[in-house]
Amino acid sequence: MTALPPIPLATLSPPELAVRTHCPYCAFQCGILMGEDLGGDRPRVSGDPHFPVNNGQLCIKGWSSAALLGHPQRVTVPQLRDGRGRWRPAEWDEALDFVAAKLASIRARCGADANGVFGSGALTNEKAYLLGKFARVALGTANIDYNGRFCMASAAGAQNRAFGIDRGLPFPVADVERAEVVLLVGANTADTLPPMMQWFDRQRANGGRLIVADPRRTPTARRADLFLQVTPGTDLALANGLLYAAIEEHLIDERYVADRTNGFDAVRAVALQYHPARVERLTGVAESQLRQAVRWLATARSSMVLTGRGTEQHSKGVDSVHAWINLMLALGKVGKPSSGFGTLTGQGNGQGGREHGQKADQLPGYRLIEVDAHREAVASVWGVDPASLPRKGKSAYELLDVLGGEVKSLLVMGSNVAVAAPNLARILPKLQALELLVVCDAFHNETSEHAHVFFPVYQWAEEEGTLTNLEGRVIRRRAVARPPTGPRGDLRVLYDLALRLGVGDKFAFRSAEDVFDELKRATAGAPADYSGISYAKIERQDGVFWPCRSEDDPGTPRMFAEQFHHPDGRAKFFAVEHREAGEEPSAEFPLFFTTGRYKEHYNSGAQTRGVGKLANAQPLPRLEIHPRLARRHRVSTGSRVTVESRRAKVEFLAEVTADIRPDTLFAPFHWGGRQAANLLTSGALDPTSRMPEFKLAAVRIAGVRDGAQG
């Protein structure tokens, strides 16, 4: 085999004090300053006061983000399972040869789609792009998806349907400050995006009002002017009820509806079935609160609705989000200054991660893999025959659900599916049944417990790349820390495997910037057009908002002021009806169970549980239970409570609090093993987004014991 120029290992000089880069965690992508801590072995971290998104603020995760650099549990050499199933060290060539041979053998024996790839919303744009290209060109498989399918897929589906394009926030986050009214639906921003709260605090200091709809009185809800404690799974009914009240009270912007939208008559007919009295019975939100909320939204000069995972992670998530879009279109707010609809992306590159081809139905730039013209455009950049590209593959949960059967191998890059996936009692045995499971990561996690090969890769601060934050702002992550000897970058791993699979010339990039240059060409003319963005331009502008179609284009901070992205330039209303969840409480399982996050931890906890400060602050998941329900089951704070769904049982330490609804239990999902909240959740999927129903499972309390019993 002919060797091609590899992506070089990092050859960095020691970083200077105060190099600008970005936090490795959430989609807010706070600007941070990093430099060598005198006398220490890890860079020092502080907030970047000049980055206009966080203005120097960081959360506890950001402040401790350098703690994993130089961590003693870091894996620095490739590992293979020995005959006894134990890890043994291996040389890179041995491990890569083994994986490539297995992938080729499985493809020859079972077909290209028998190899699967699972990516991440934490990958840089360059990695997400190259991973999608690797799946389609090097493996020829349709079966690639990523953990972003568990994050913002429902909001993306609704925005594409309504606006013709999906960008989480179609305006800069700074617009929140100038909104007279903001309604947060299913978003606990104080815990999930803590530095974003500065914008809500400024909004309220300016005389603005904050409304929060959530089943829990979260830290965010406690700062609200109006709190709507909605029953889990009824956000769609709540939005339709607000629209009913707006119609009844003549709050609709009829001129806007006529000039800029299509389809309102059908939506009006459905909304008029949702009298506030009916909606109160469905949602638990009083009619007086409902009417107050819609009056505030409608009569304010500027108002916006922002959704989070609480309204999106349902088997009716797309329709629920569209119900909120319907409301804001009817009030004439979308595209107006400091107004409209947006969704709060979760993962660090949740926006860019779903734009560039690691989603089963998409190619770079939001092109669709089933559209021939889109296939031809990307194939011409890749230098391949469009007919050679596979068609649409399986969504994330559906991919995991056929592991060990239809799909024989899985390459996992940047995701901990053994914690993050729903219905884990079903998924874990499927991971174990694979012929080949390869994990690329810096540390072992619950997924690598089932792996055959572990590739040690660089951490966030050790390599270059770009990410796209929740505003659609493309930013640059810099290499500011020297990696240890041994690990390689993900881009290099993909090149090394592609070389062994006979297509190394398609992956022989010298740097992340070279990958980005090809990404730009692949997105030219696409909905998410990056062709006018460059690393230098990102530097000059503190990030560039897509679409950005030429070198002279400054980018697009605000969308929809003049037209939407459907061919006729109009937004589309879509009539949606409240319907039952994938499973509702019953006599056998009478309680709602919902999941969420702690501010100290991030997603599956694979990173944050390894940081002593964060692990000590929140060492284990706690079950929130209302005092009334606790008395009925003789539960007190510190009791060990066994929660049972139709799929599994999990024991949690109880925390009795009046902040939760009496019919609802809550636990965070950052832990795996016997403490995994996702053992309880189901595999019910939204028909459009294929989003699993993380936020609602029917459960019962199956046992209570004294916490002192261990």
Side-chain angles (χ1 to χ4, degrees):
M1 127 177 90
T2 303
L4 292 162
I7 296 171
L9 297 174
T11 54
L12 300 174
S13 58
E16 297 176 357
L17 184 65
V19 176
R20 301 182 76 194
T21 187
H22 294 272
C23 178
Y25 292 112
C26 77
F28 210 57
Q29 280 301 290
C30 291
I32 60 176
L33 302 176
M34 293 187 68
E36 291 292 339
D37 195 355
L38 296 177
D41 59 356
R42 294 176 188 157
R44 182 173 57 199
V45 174
S46 63
D48 183 350
H50 302 294
F51 188 61
V53 176
N54 63 305
N55 299 301
Q57 292 193 20
L58 295 177
C59 73
I60 189 173
K61 295 186 294 293
W63 285 114
S64 60
S65 57
L68 291 178
L69 303 173
H71 195 284
Q73 293 181 353
R74 175 83 178 267
V75 181
T76 58
V77 296
Q79 295 181 333
L80 299 174
R81 294 285 184 185
D82 65 17
R84 294 183 173 181
R86 297 177 299 193
W87 288 117
R88 68 168 179 84
E91 297 293 330
W92 271 104
D93 283 344
E94 179 191 9
L96 290 162
D97 288 346
F98 175 81
V99 170
K102 287 287 288 185
L103 293 172
S105 172
I106 289 170
R107 179 171 59 186
R109 182 164 37 92
C110 305
D113 289 346
N115 288 317
V117 177
F118 203 96
S120 170
L123 301 180
T124 62
N125 290 317
E126 293 81 359
K127 293 180 187 180
Y129 169 81
L130 208 64
L131 187 65
K133 181 180 178 181
F134 177 83
R136 276 106 185 192
V137 174
L139 297 178
T141 182
N143 287 321
I144 173 173
D145 215 272
Y146 79 125
N147 62 12
R149 184 79 74 163
F150 300 157
C151 181
M152 227 188 84
S154 289
Q159 290 189 93
N160 277 320
R161 195 164 67 185
F163 307 139
I165 198 167
D166 156 41
R167 200 178 87 183
L169 290 184
F171 42 75
V173 69
D175 281 11
V176 170
E177 177 183 5
R178 294 182 285 272
E180 291 185 8
V181 178
V182 178
L183 169 56
L184 281 172
V185 189
N188 178 18
T189 314
D191 280 350
T192 59
L193 303 163
M196 187 176 181
M197 291 305 294
Q198 65 182 288
W199 297 107
F200 296 108
D201 292 341
R202 292 178 185 183
Q203 182 247 356
R204 296 187 68 217
N206 290 338
R209 291 168 168 149
L210 177 63
I211 309 169
V212 173
D214 200 292
R216 303 166 58 223
R217 191 179 293 273
T218 63
T220 308
R222 286 196 284 273
R223 292 156 87 161
D225 299 282
L226 179 61
F227 174 46
L228 312 177
Q229 194 162 29
V230 64
T231 301
T234 63
D235 292 359
L236 193 161
L238 178 63
N240 278 358
L242 290 168
L243 184 53
Y244 176 103
I247 295 169
E248 183 183 68
E249 299 188 19
H250 306 289
L251 299 173
I252 303 301
D253 188 333
E254 300 286 357
R255 179 179 293 276
Y256 179 98
V257 169
D259 291 347
R260 301 207 56 194
T261 72
N262 290 321
F264 182 58
D265 288 345
V267 168
R268 186 198 302 266
V270 169
L272 289 175
Q273 301 171 31
Y274 288 80
H275 188 281
R278 178 194 175 199
V279 172
E280 181 173 341
R281 291 192 299 272
L282 286 171
T283 67
V285 176
E287 180 175 346
S288 60
Q289 290 184 307
L290 186 149
R291 291 186 182 277
Q292 182 68 78
V294 78
R295 289 168 188 159
W296 285 0
L297 288 167
T299 59
R301 286 173 298 176
S302 56
S303 64
M304 61 178 65
V305 168
L306 305 176
T307 61
R309 305 299 82 75
T311 201
E312 298 162 16
Q313 289 180 321
H314 291 273
S315 59
K316 53 175 178 274
V318 173
D319 285 356
S320 295
V321 173
H322 210 129
W324 293 106
I325 294 174
N326 285 342
L327 174 66
M328 298 310 284
L329 287 173
L331 299 181
K333 301 298 186 183
V334 182
K336 298 287 185 65
S338 302
S339 297
F341 172 84
T343 187
L344 302 178
T345 308
Q347 295 190 78
N349 199 30
Q351 180 69 56
R354 70 182 181 279
E355 295 168 3
H356 297 309
Q358 60 173 338
K359 190 164 171 275
D361 57 348
Q362 288 182 184
L363 290 167
Y366 274 150
R367 287 190 164 102
L368 298 176
I369 202 164
E370 293 292 334
V371 176
D372 287 343
H374 293 187
R375 295 163 61 84
E376 291 167 6
V378 173
S380 68
V381 174
W382 289 352
V384 300
D385 184 347
S388 70
L389 298 178
R391 294 283 173 172
K392 181 171 69 173
K394 299 182 185 302
S395 72
Y397 178 78
E398 292 164 307
L399 172 58
L400 297 175
D401 198 41
V402 297
L403 297 182
E406 185 178 335
V407 174
K408 310 292 184 185
S409 82
L410 190 68
L411 170 65
V412 179
M413 188 168 282
S415 185
N416 187 9
V417 296
V419 174
N423 198 5
L424 282 176
R426 179 177 175 87
I427 296 302
L428 292 177
K430 295 178 181 292
L431 285 171
Q432 296 165 0
L434 283 166
E435 292 184 28
L436 176 67
L437 175 58
V438 183
V439 170
C440 301
D441 216 310
F443 299 89
H444 279 298
N445 55 38
E446 287 82 359
T447 303
S448 68
E449 290 178 8
H450 310 290
H452 305 93
V453 182
F454 187 94
F455 286 143
V457 295
Y458 294 161
Q459 292 192 70
W460 63 281
E462 297 165 352
E463 57 186 346
E464 299 280 333
T466 63
L467 300 96
T468 307
N469 80 344
L470 81 176
E471 312 163 291
R473 183 195 300 256
V474 184
I475 58 176
R476 185 177 170 193
R477 177 182 288 173
R478 295 174 182 80
V480 293
R482 185 187 297 278
T485 301
R488 294 183 178 180
D490 292 299
L491 300 177
R492 170 74 184 272
V493 171
L494 292 175
Y495 164 77
D496 288 334
L497 288 174
L499 179 64
R500 288 162 171 80
L501 292 168
V503 289
D505 59 316
K506 306 293 185 187
F507 296 84
F509 300 95
R510 296 294 303 182
S511 67
E513 189 170 6
D514 285 348
V515 178
F516 188 81
D517 287 342
E518 184 177 284
L519 179 157
K520 290 167 54 177
R521 297 197 304 275
T523 65
D529 191 330
Y530 280 42
S531 61
I533 304 176
S534 66
Y535 277 28
K537 193 171 186 176
I538 293 170
E539 297 283 338
R540 291 195 303 270
Q541 298 184 194
D542 265 332
V544 181
F545 293 84
W546 69 261
C548 181
R549 300 180 177 90
S550 69
E551 291 183 6
D552 297 332
D553 183 351
T556 313
R558 292 174 181 84
M559 307 177 78
F560 313 142
E562 297 179 358
Q563 63 180 12
F564 295 94
H565 283 251
H566 291 299
D568 63 1
R570 290 170 168 259
K572 291 184 179 180
F573 281 98
F574 194 85
V576 291
E577 291 268 21
H578 171 73
R579 61 182 185 270
E580 288 191 346
E583 65 178 23
E584 295 280 355
S586 63
E588 186 179 7
F589 295 93
L591 302 172
F592 295 99
F593 176 74
T594 190
T595 66
R597 306 182 187 185
Y598 287 152
K599 68 177 181 294
E600 294 85 359
H601 289 294
Y602 180 68
N603 285 359
S604 74
Q607 295 164 280
T608 52
R609 284 185 277 120
V611 177
K613 181 178 182 179
L614 303 178
N616 291 335
Q618 294 288 4
L620 74 170
R622 299 187 307 278
L623 181 76
E624 291 189 5
I625 180 171
H626 191 273
R628 192 186 314 163
L629 184 61
R631 285 193 297 272
R632 189 186 314 159
H633 290 274
R634 298 182 178 179
V635 173
S636 58
T637 294
S639 297
R640 295 186 178 272
V641 179
T642 298
V643 179
E644 182 179 11
S645 72
R646 290 178 174 85
R647 292 157 292 281
K649 296 180 180 179
V650 180
E651 185 180 78
F652 298 104
L653 204 64
E655 179 178 338
V656 179
T657 173
D659 289 336
I660 190 83
R661 288 175 55 92
D663 57 2
T664 303
L665 300 173
F666 165 87
F669 60 86
H670 307 296
W671 284 265
R674 296 173 65 183
Q675 295 179 314
N678 278 324
L679 287 167
L680 300 171
T681 55
S682 79
L685 300 178
D686 182 283
T688 300
S689 67
R690 316 309 289 167
M691 166 75 82
E693 192 154 64
F694 288 102
K695 294 302 184 189
L696 197 161
V699 300
R700 62 189 175 199
I701 294 177
V704 179
R705 62 193 181 100
D706 190 335
Q709 296 176 18

